[in-house]
Amino acid sequence: MNQTASSVVTDGIALITLDNPPVNALSAPLRQALQSELDRAFRDDQVHAIMLICAGRTFIAGADITEFGQPWQSPSLPDLCAMLDAAPKPVIAAIHGTALGGGFELALACHYRVVAASARVGLPEVNLGLLPGAGGTQRIPRVVGAKAALDIVTSGRQIKAKEALSLGLVDAIADDPSLQSEALAFARRVVADGAAKPRIRDRTDAIEGDRNAPDLFTTFATTNARRFKGFPAPGAIIEAVQAAVMLDFDDGLAKEAALFEQLVASPESAAQRHVFFAEREAARVPDIGPETAAIDIAAVGVIGAGTMGGGITMNFLNAGIPVTLVETNQEALDRGIATIRRNYEATASKGRMTGQQVEQRMALISPSLELGALAHADLVIEAVYESMDVKTDIFARLDRIAKPGAILASNTSFLNLDRIAAATSRPEWVVGLHFFSPANVMRLLEVVRGAATAKPVVATAMRLAKRIGKVAVLSGVCDGFIANRLLAPRGTQAEAMMLEGTPIEAIDRVLVDYGFAMGHFQMMDLVGLDVIGRNATERTVMGDLVAAGRLGQKRGAGYYDYDEKRRPHASDLTANLISEVAAAASVAHSPTVGDEAILARLLYPVVTEGARILEEGIALRASDIDIAAVLGYNWPVYRGGPLFWADQVGLGKIVADMRQLEALHGETFRPAPLLVRLAEGGKRFGDRS
Ligand code: 3H9
């Protein structure tokens, strides 16, 4: 890898080009190279101004995240910013692609910023459990004021060139192809006009008013408490921005640095960094390299216009790919299309899409009542209800209709893909594409590789995922694939503990305290007890609740009673029903007591199921299982997923605790052989990935 900075001097301007593919992360060698180029330009009498620009697809994407957790090497990023603060000549950053994190902070320490029209800037450190540690929390408020700074830094959002200009974060916008020449012309003008060196650090105008509004910070924290819950970074960001307002610049920087050090050492940031790399690693399939050509997907067919089919369709419309949507009757087809339109219109009414964009997307749908309409599709996704007979029938018919070379995909969430593929004469073209509900929102896509699925088909599915904004995780064939199989034991244990007399409120609270958005029983109420309990064959609490008309949140009562604000309250009726069902099933009263014990009971079976999924080769790597849980089941990202979390807890402790649980509750708690082997070898799941 290059990791270089080089410079040429033309017309008195030193043009320093940074080159560290793929995203110009500011690694130690690059920082050293930049330091020496800056030093040289500072000392060169022929140089009157300096311009920083990047080679490749983007400006600097930030500090090199792989270096976190290791000893810092000199010069640090703050050292480079301090060097720019003390620069004897004006320095101009010329930005294309994305200037993110430390990359944008370096640009903010320059005197001027010229951006390409398509460029974006931002401070996404919060997504890694961090705060900007190279002056970002101190400089941004000095430009936009504390309130806007809090929004920018706690959201980590990317700001487009036009907005950045209107906020004053950049000084000029250039046409994309002529960024370098326009930025050079800008530099020449700066020199001609007296070579002024305005420094953001010297400004106080934007924050003066904030000094008299100390409530601003507590109000911001309270208003966003729900969004920030469990994450240490937003609180630290608020503290750092408050320091920018209340302290002088250097004291503010020192505060920021201290907070950064705390965060970088936190388990939450380690977990979020793990998820960042795991998401990218998931795209790699060891036996399918870049040499495996993907199939061009220009037209898609979706069978089934229900909730799932509609959501799946939207992903392709959003990416500009036309979809033929097939249903069996006109009413269902009309209803499905109306739902898609309603979803888009809701987005438009929030200002996140224009009316024209809604129409453009809707125009990409070709509705049909005939499977024959799919004859020209490059990819067909079946999204009808979970019945092997229905699915094999559809695939047999599809086999006769689809063109040669079309990919035939099933959205099944637990059926055997190989049996579905066997209904066709071309099982090598059959793959599972398992979306998670709501399919237009959830980022996980499980790509299920059947015994016969051809490599180009897998390669296409993995690459297509990125095109439609999903993260693909490859799964082998098994009941429930990765995510559903992994999480099923959590529900089983929640219900077992309920019957043993552990209050459902305690079970749910433990899950919420751990970081899930809601507990198991709240989730059941949200989805609808009539929907979930449909196939029960024996007496269950859920069945009795449904019989009592308590269908869940939609009826104001399910496991819980709901008030007009949809807040759950414990229900005596539910408690009595639980006792009755437990007595009828002869379950002894033996509640699990204590949050830690409840959590172990709920999550250790998930960990051991993860170990089995790994050992059976259903998942390629431990980190894929974490991604499936985080993106498919909203496992709290700051826990890093079940296997990363297990590594933090310690596999030795988990195995020991599970053996005790096994003695009490049976073989569900028998630790998987892989888990035992890792624990005995003093190893972690992370050592395997
Ligand atoms: C920071 O700056 C802290 C400072 O405030 C204070 C310091 C004191 N480092 O995403 P892609 C790799 S924290 C190392 O697939 P895209 C990535 O792993 C940083 N590696 O491309 C992948 O590797 P591989 C704040 C990085 O085009 C490859 O580059 N900055 C980094 O879809 C391509 O990545 C951020 O949080 C990095 N900083 O998206 C920005 N960034 O090919 C993080 C990427 O081996 N980066 N890699 O799998 C991004 O958001 C996206 O990568 C970006 C490009 C939008 C830039």
Side-chain angles (χ1 to χ4, degrees):
M1 228 181 248
N2 279 334
Q3 308 217 2
T4 58
S6 56
S7 61
V8 288
V9 180
T10 29
D11 284 351
I13 315 288
L15 181 68
I16 302 180
T17 305
L18 308 184
D19 190 5
N20 182 18
V23 295
N24 288 310
L26 271 171
S27 60
L30 187 64
R31 295 197 302 274
Q32 281 149 15
L34 175 58
Q35 182 187 41
S36 56
E37 291 304 330
L38 281 175
D39 195 45
R40 186 153 45 149
F42 288 174
R43 284 187 284 105
D44 185 344
D45 292 340
Q46 305 300 312
V47 170
H48 306 299
I50 299 160
M51 193 175 115
L52 293 186
I53 196 163
C54 286
R57 68 193 211 219
T58 181
F59 193 77
I60 303 161
D64 185 337
I65 306 167
T66 58
E67 289 179 357
F68 294 163
Q70 297 169 21
W72 296 115
Q73 284 186 47
S74 190
S76 69
L77 194 43
D79 291 342
L80 287 176
C81 293
M83 197 173 173
L84 289 167
D85 273 340
K89 306 164 185 184
V91 185
I92 296 107
I95 296 170
H96 74 294
T98 43
L100 298 177
F104 187 40
E105 292 176 285
L106 192 81
L108 288 168
C110 295
H111 303 101
Y112 304 95
R113 286 148 297 280
V114 178
V115 290
S118 66
R120 279 163 292 149
V121 297
L123 297 174
E125 285 88 340
V126 69
N127 300 323
L128 300 168
L130 298 171
L131 55 62
T137 64
Q138 306 303 298
R139 287 190 177 87
I140 294 272
R142 282 176 162 76
V143 179
V144 301
K147 201 157 174 264
L150 287 170
D151 160 55
I152 290 171
V153 190
T154 60
S155 71
R157 71 187 174 92
Q158 293 188 5
I159 303 167
K160 291 185 180 153
K162 264 194 188 151
E163 189 192 349
L165 184 67
S166 71
L167 287 170
L169 290 169
V170 304
D171 302 283
I173 298 181
D175 282 340
D176 281 17
S178 51
L179 171 67
Q180 180 166 320
S181 57
E182 288 189 47
L184 274 172
F186 184 98
R188 277 189 217 103
R189 277 199 304 279
V190 166
V191 174
D193 292 347
K197 295 190 278 96
R199 301 189 307 176
I200 292 174
R201 60 171 288 150
D202 300 329
R203 288 177 54 179
T204 54
D205 49 307
I207 46 175
E208 241 138 44
D210 298 331
R211 292 204 173 120
N212 305 319
D215 288 353
L216 190 149
F217 298 97
T218 39
T219 308
F220 185 79
T222 319
T223 317
N224 292 288
R226 218 181 135 87
R227 181 159 66 97
F228 296 160
K229 187 179 150 271
F231 293 91
I237 290 168
I238 296 171
E239 253 189 86
V241 172
Q242 190 161 15
V245 171
M246 298 300 179
L247 307 179
D248 71 27
F249 187 79
D250 288 324
D251 288 343
L253 269 191
K255 178 82 189 166
E256 179 194 81
L259 290 165
F260 184 86
E261 288 306 324
Q262 275 173 28
L263 290 176
V264 86
S266 69
E268 290 85 356
S269 174
Q272 288 177 261
R273 275 150 31 213
H274 162 73
V275 170
F276 176 87
F277 286 114
E279 253 186 64
R280 284 152 182 85
E281 187 65 20
R284 287 188 244 276
V285 181
D287 65 331
I288 302 180
E291 72 289 349
T292 307
I295 297 149
D296 189 29
I297 304 295
V300 170
V302 174
I303 306 172
T307 311
M308 229 32 221
I312 292 171
T313 298
M314 289 175 75
N315 290 301
F316 293 97
L317 305 180
N318 296 345
I321 304 172
V323 177
T324 303
L325 185 57
V326 176
E327 252 301 348
T328 45
N329 69 73
Q330 192 65 45
E331 203 193 327
L333 189 57
D334 291 346
R335 203 171 40 236
I337 289 177
T339 306
I340 295 176
R341 175 173 282 284
R342 210 173 38 248
N343 285 341
Y344 279 137
E345 282 172 352
T347 309
S349 72
K350 290 178 202 140
R352 286 194 264 127
M353 196 185 238
T354 64
Q356 196 191 6
Q357 284 168 326
V358 175
E359 296 313 322
Q360 277 165 354
R361 281 173 207 198
M362 293 306 296
L364 289 171
I365 309 181
S366 307
S368 178
L369 295 174
E370 302 294 334
L371 270 191
L374 302 174
H376 302 292
D378 303 305
L379 161 70
V380 179
I381 305 173
E382 162 278 311
V384 304
Y385 64 94
E386 292 284 87
S387 149
M388 184 57 89
D389 289 347
V390 175
K391 293 204 193 244
T392 46
D393 175 59
I394 287 181
F395 272 76
R397 285 159 60 206
L398 208 49
D399 189 29
R400 295 193 288 274
I401 291 164
K403 68 179 186 186
I407 297 179
L408 310 181
S410 173
N411 177 51
T412 180
S413 48
F414 63 88
L415 296 176
N416 185 325
L417 184 79
D418 292 330
R419 280 187 57 199
I420 297 175
T424 73
S425 62
R426 38 173 146 174
E428 64 279 19
W429 292 95
V430 177
V431 69
L433 290 181
H434 180 210
F435 291 80
F436 287 72
S437 189
N440 53 320
V441 177
M442 299 297 280
R443 288 177 61 224
L444 179 65
L445 176 64
E446 279 179 343
V447 172
V448 184
R449 184 180 194 170
T453 313
K455 287 183 182 180
V457 174
V458 176
T460 306
M462 300 300 287
R463 289 172 211 166
L464 185 66
K466 185 152 188 182
R467 197 168 150 205
I468 60 172
K470 303 284 177 208
V471 175
V473 167
L474 190 70
S475 173
V477 176
C478 69
D479 191 5
F481 309 119
I482 299 175
N484 286 347
R485 176 175 162 186
L486 183 70
L487 269 297
R490 192 190 72 172
T492 309
Q493 289 309 313
E495 281 163 36
M497 278 193 283
M498 167 186 80
L499 289 183
E500 292 159 11
T502 313
I504 61 167
E505 304 81 56
I507 299 169
D508 279 356
R509 186 183 43 74
V510 166
L511 287 172
V512 170
D513 287 351
Y514 179 81
F516 286 100
M518 61 182 80
H520 172 77
F521 298 98
Q522 292 163 341
M523 174 64 99
M524 297 292 110
D525 275 353
L526 183 68
V527 178
L529 305 188
D530 50 334
V531 180
I532 301 165
R534 239 187 320 235
N535 301 324
T537 48
E538 54 199 36
R539 185 178 177 195
T540 60
V541 173
M542 198 184 283
D544 281 15
L545 288 168
V546 172
R550 298 175 67 97
L551 305 188
Q553 216 188 79
K554 60 188 169 191
R555 291 287 173 86
Y559 282 101
Y560 293 92
D561 290 329
Y562 291 87
D563 62 22
E564 61 292 341
K565 288 191 170 153
R566 298 196 164 189
R567 280 178 306 215
H569 298 281
S571 151
D572 289 342
L573 190 143
T574 303
N576 290 336
L577 263 183
I578 294 169
S579 304
E580 275 177 34
V581 175
S586 310
V587 179
H589 186 77
S590 58
T592 302
V593 180
D595 290 7
E596 209 183 316
I598 294 176
L599 192 70
R601 186 88 190 265
L602 290 165
L603 300 191
Y604 287 177
V606 174
V607 171
T608 205
E609 195 63 42
R612 276 189 209 103
I613 290 172
L614 200 53
E615 193 157 34
E616 289 168 23
I618 298 296
L620 286 173
R621 46 183 90 82
S623 62
D624 283 9
I625 295 176
D626 286 335
I627 289 300
V630 169
L631 300 183
Y633 270 87
N634 291 324
W635 192 283
V637 62
Y638 59 81
R639 304 279 188 190
L643 301 191
F644 182 86
W645 173 71
D647 281 345
Q648 311 277 91
V649 173
L651 302 190
K653 173 178 163 42
I654 292 182
V655 167
D657 289 356
M658 286 191 77
R659 292 222 157 102
Q660 286 183 9
L661 286 165
E662 186 185 356
L664 288 171
H665 303 288
E667 68 178 68
T668 311
F669 288 91
R670 182 168 308 156
L674 173 65
L675 180 55
V676 175
R677 275 202 310 280
L678 290 173
E680 285 173 352
K683 293 219 167 76
R684 305 169 327 133
F685 285 110
D687 299 328
R688 265 187 120 253
S689 298

